[in-house]
Amino acid sequence: MSMERGSFAARHDFDALPLSPDVDVRCAQFGEIDALSDMAHRLVPGVRIGAKELARYFAFDPQSILTFARHGTLLGGMAFLFLNDRGHDALLLDDICLTAPDAHHLAAADEEVSAIYIWAIAATGRGIAGLGKAAAHLRQIRFRGADCYAQPSTVAGREIMKATGFEPIPSFQPDLWCYERPWHRQPMPMPGAIIQARSFADARH
């Protein structure tokens, strides 16, 4: 995953990021793809996703690319791969081409999204404040069941991962980080509940 330079001091779960009123976040339009690609190449060292790849994936799934803007000025964007079960397995096994994924790894509009891979984030200045609304985009019914994955490629990207609840996970895919959605997490049992459960078990004997 590619991310912009800059700081991200506040620590929040990705799904608990504030919705900044200063930044408008919406699905990209086809005419913005070239500008978003140029911005990614300018801001992020080593980015390998070109305008052609972005356009191809955008045509497959228009909800996969978001723009961040303020007063009509483009501040950046965010791109996702919405993976089906096959794509999810391939991601963990390092058996997917992330710069040009095969269509059979991608979730169709009528197919459950099993995993969300954050393909790239590129933003300038206040643009990074758009992350909260981007997270809200991923809370739509279609995406709610999918945990988020990323591979930070810059120091700033790694800082943002740490600050938004992503953690590195064991996988064949190098340096893969995962954000587990809050509703997937097992609640920690309260000590009192454990004592009560043991008392109940003792009473049964």
Side-chain angles (χ1 to χ4, degrees):
M1 175 190 54
S2 309
M3 283 191 169
E4 55 92 68
R5 14 175 144 86
S7 64
F8 199 80
R11 298 185 67 86
H12 293 281
D13 248 23
F14 184 59
D15 277 302
L17 289 171
L19 305 181
S20 171
D22 293 336
V23 181
D24 296 319
V25 177
R26 57 170 173 76
C27 291
Q29 298 174 358
F30 189 80
E32 296 170 315
I33 298 298
D34 284 345
L36 289 170
S37 177
D38 289 344
M39 186 172 286
H41 282 267
R42 190 172 73 251
L43 292 174
V44 186
V47 68
R48 292 180 295 168
I49 303 168
K52 185 182 293 185
E53 290 83 7
L54 275 180
R56 185 186 305 122
Y57 188 46
F58 176 79
F60 181 85
D61 194 330
Q63 292 197 76
S64 64
I65 301 175
L66 302 178
T67 59
F68 301 169
R70 185 170 186 264
H71 302 321
T73 299
L74 187 66
L75 299 178
M78 190 168 183
F80 313 96
L81 296 179
F82 299 133
L83 303 176
N84 56 24
D85 287 338
R86 293 181 299 278
H88 192 177
D89 290 342
L91 175 67
L92 298 176
L93 295 171
D94 193 17
D95 194 26
I96 185 174
C97 177
L98 290 169
T99 53
D102 290 331
H104 73 275
H105 285 145
L106 304 176
D110 59 349
E111 192 175 12
E112 182 178 350
V113 176
S114 179
I116 298 165
Y117 180 77
I118 300 177
W119 210 11
I121 297 175
T124 59
R126 296 188 182 187
I128 202 66
L131 276 179
K133 290 180 178 177
H137 175 73
L138 299 179
R139 288 194 292 275
Q140 295 179 77
I141 294 296
R142 184 184 176 207
F143 311 122
R144 277 180 63 87
D147 290 335
C148 301
Y149 295 84
Q151 289 172 293
S153 61
T154 64
V155 172
R158 193 174 294 267
E159 287 176 357
I160 292 174
M161 292 288 91
K162 291 177 181 176
T164 53
F166 283 76
E167 295 182 350
I169 61 167
S171 73
F172 291 98
Q173 186 74 239
D175 201 26
L176 186 65
W177 292 51
C178 177
Y179 168 74
E180 187 179 23
R181 309 304 283 270
W183 40 91
H184 287 169
R185 300 172 199 166
Q186 292 295 323
M188 291 294 289
M190 296 296 290
I194 296 173
I195 293 169
Q196 289 171 8
R198 286 176 179 163
S199 299
F200 178 70
D202 291 342
R204 293 180 60 187
H205 286 302

